[in-house]
Amino acid sequence: ESYLEELESSPNEQLGNLSILNELLVEHKPKNFDDCVKWARLKYETLYHNDIVQLLSQYPENKTDAKGVPFWSGTKRKPSPLKFDANKDTDYEFILAASNMFASVFGIGKCTDKKAIQKALSSVVLPEFVPDKSIKIAATEEEAAEEKKRNKEEKEESGDVADQINKLTASLPSRSSINDQIINPAKFEKDDPTNFHIDFITACSNLRATNYRIKMESKHQTKFIAGKIIPAIATTTAMVTGMVCMEWYKIIQEFKLEAYRNSYANLALPMVTASEPFFPLKKEVPLFGEKKGEKLSFSSWDFIDIKIGNEMMKTFLRHFTKTYGYKVAGLTYGSSSLYQSLQKGEKWMKKRLKTPLGDVAQEISGQPLPKTDYLKLNLTCHNPEEEKDPENPMVDFPPVRFYYK
């Protein structure tokens, strides 16, 4: 509710952000992996077929400008809409990567079973697409600027924007109904082969290249290009590495706090400053359950150690609730979501709850368990005093070191 109020003060962003919320929480909120496949298939159709058909309806092959020059000439290459084929590598790779990335956002387990994905694809029903004659696509930057200005004025006069905002706001679920919903934003990481990020970029760029009959590139080349988008400046990297190493020498020699330094550098100015660090800020959480009456004080460097062996996930959750008096709302391992209380009624989640927690972490993350004896888990909990503090329905705890050996 407070976020919606904040949006009202940013009218330029309001409609776009509400549309995103509507897509994530209403229209395409997935309940299982099949829903993620459906979302990916619809995205494919929009991006690589419908948008191209819309473009060609306004600028057909025989289109000419005022001087009689063909529109599709010179640097303008006429695209062709793609027809989806699940047996074609580029098409299937887009669905595989897009559906898995969408699933990870909502804490749904990954799936790489080709038969299961193709079965889900076979049940997707595509809405009929008819080009919208009222949509105008600008051919130049000047036309785009004029069209944007004209559309803004027309919408302000007609009140369409206000109507759309009211409609989208009314469609959103109530806050209480999504308190348990945890959405994990995807943070781009090109060096993690299990997160499907480079797979997704490769599939998207190759499909667009196919639209315009441009040479496709390999995943390796795509990763190389993506890595160059944000260049690492060697001089800055070397300087920061040196500063970090200086602090490590102090840690090894167990220097007192006043010997350490927080450093800030900007070579463009140039400027380098250093300051003494403060002790880390601490949070305090009242405990219930077996520790009722106690308070847990922790900083970003602290952990909770749980040593019950590689028990079933539901045993871990019950142990935590019994000990600290808080019900777990969400449990993650790295970027992988292992549990969300909102999904505990789902058939696949019931199965997961009866599986040893270490095995769940390995299966969902797609990576072998670490050589250490423990897993580092992050969790959020329901606030047992939510009635007294409705603005804070969730409580953060320090990371848990779950000793599975």
Side-chain angles (χ1 to χ4, degrees), residues 381-401:
C381 298
H382 294 288
N383 186 353
E385 297 185 321
E386 184 180 353
E387 291 184 2
K388 298 179 182 178
D389 188 12
E391 292 298 316
N392 296 293
M394 297 292 174
V395 176
D396 289 325
F397 269 75
V400 171
R401 287 193 294 209

Side-chain angles (χ1 to χ4, degrees), residues 135-396:
I135 295 177
K136 301 297 180 184
I137 302 175
T140 64
E141 291 183 4
E142 291 78 11
E143 286 184 15
E146 291 176 7
E147 187 70 23
K148 184 177 180 180
K149 182 180 179 181
R150 184 164 55 251
N151 287 340
K152 183 179 179 182
E153 291 173 350
E154 289 176 355
K155 286 179 179 178
E156 286 176 351
E157 291 175 2
S158 66
D160 282 352
V161 172
D163 290 342
Q164 289 181 55
I165 288 173
N166 291 334
K167 186 177 179 180
L168 287 170
T169 303
S171 72
L172 296 177
S174 64
R175 178 175 174 176
S176 60
S177 68
I178 57 171
N179 271 347
D180 292 343
Q181 179 68 60
I182 298 174
I183 296 179
N184 310 297
K187 185 178 180 181
F188 178 65
E189 174 51 66
K190 66 180 177 65
D191 296 317
D192 182 354
T194 67
N195 62 15
F196 293 96
H197 292 182
I198 291 296
D199 304 75
F200 179 70
I201 293 173
T202 303
C204 287
S205 56
N206 281 337
L207 286 169
R208 183 61 78 217
T210 305
N211 277 137
Y212 286 89
R213 297 178 301 285
I214 297 171
K215 179 179 175 291
M216 294 193 295
E217 294 291 353
S218 66
K219 189 189 300 184
H220 177 76
Q221 181 64 14
T222 301
K223 182 177 178 180
F224 175 74
I225 295 170
K228 287 168 56 179
I229 293 174
I230 305 174
I233 303 173
T235 48
T236 304
T237 303
M239 181 181 65
V240 171
T241 303
M243 290 176 172
V244 171
C245 287
M246 286 295 294
E247 301 307 309
W248 267 113
Y249 293 145
K250 298 172 188 177
I251 292 173
I252 293 169
Q253 297 177 73
E254 299 181 350
F255 282 17
K256 292 183 178 180
L257 181 67
E258 54 266 24
Y260 296 90
R261 291 292 181 270
N262 287 329
S263 298
Y264 173 82
N266 188 331
L267 294 184
L269 296 178
M271 181 180 73
V272 179
T273 60
S275 61
E276 289 187 22
F278 292 102
F279 283 100
L281 295 175
K282 290 203 168 188
K283 292 182 179 179
E284 200 170 74
V285 175
L287 300 180
F288 303 93
E290 294 178 349
K291 294 182 178 288
K292 187 175 182 179
E294 299 180 28
K295 290 187 177 181
L296 178 65
S297 179
F298 63 94
S299 72
S300 57
W301 299 98
D302 293 317
F303 293 88
I304 292 176
D305 288 335
I306 294 184
K307 301 179 179 180
I308 58 174
N310 194 19
E311 291 285 349
M312 293 185 295
M313 185 160 70
K314 67 177 182 179
T315 303
F316 167 84
L317 298 173
R318 288 171 180 170
H319 172 82
F320 187 90
T321 302
K322 181 181 178 183
T323 306
Y324 298 99
Y326 287 81
K327 291 184 178 180
V328 177
L331 182 68
T332 60
Y333 172 56
S335 61
S336 301
S337 177
L338 307 184
Y339 171 78
Q340 287 191 34
S341 58
L342 191 66
Q343 300 168 333
K344 62 185 178 183
E346 299 289 342
K347 185 177 180 180
W348 54 269
M349 181 59 79
K350 290 179 180 178
K351 181 181 177 182
R352 190 182 295 181
L353 285 166
K354 296 178 182 179
T355 305
L357 185 50
D359 297 358
V360 172
Q362 185 171 7
E363 179 186 349
I364 303 303
S365 68
Q367 297 179 347
L369 296 179
K371 294 180 181 179
T372 56
D373 293 342
Y374 61 83
L375 300 174
K376 183 181 175 182
L377 306 174
N378 292 291
L379 48 77
T380 54
C381 298
H382 294 288
N383 186 353
E385 297 185 321
E386 184 180 353
E387 291 184 2
K388 298 179 182 178
D389 188 12
E391 292 298 316
N392 296 293
M394 297 292 174
V395 176
D396 289 325

Side-chain angles (χ1 to χ4, degrees), residues 124-141:
V124 177
V125 178
L126 297 175
E128 182 182 357
F129 177 73
V130 178
D132 187 344
K133 300 297 182 182
S134 66
I135 295 177
K136 301 297 180 184
I137 302 175
T140 64
E141 291 183 4

